[in-house]
Amino acid sequence: MCDGSHKGNTFTAMNYTADVMHDKWFCACKHSGTKPMCDGSHKKL
Ligand code: FES
């Protein structure tokens, strides 16, 4: 959930609406090619 911490830097908030109820993994490393979802790119950092 956005808490406004991105204000004052180059990051922007992204909207996401779940289409179905099931587990989802959101990217927290900011390197995913399928934002806002994790695509495993964090494993190469
Ligand atoms: S957490 Fe960013 S790609 Fe997995």
Side-chain angles (χ1 to χ4, degrees):
M1 303 300 140
C2 179
D3 65 357
S5 297
H6 58 86
K7 290 179 182 172
N9 60 43
T10 59
F11 298 113
T12 57
M14 298 180 73
N15 288 324
Y16 176 79
T17 302
D19 48 354
V20 292
M21 286 288 289
H22 58 86
D23 291 341
K24 292 276 190 173
W25 297 96
F26 288 89
C27 175
C29 75
K30 300 176 178 51
H31 287 79
S32 175
T34 58
K35 296 173 185 169
M37 310 319 295
C38 171
D39 68 356
S41 295
H42 62 268
K43 296 176 185 174
K44 300 174 191 162
L45 298 177

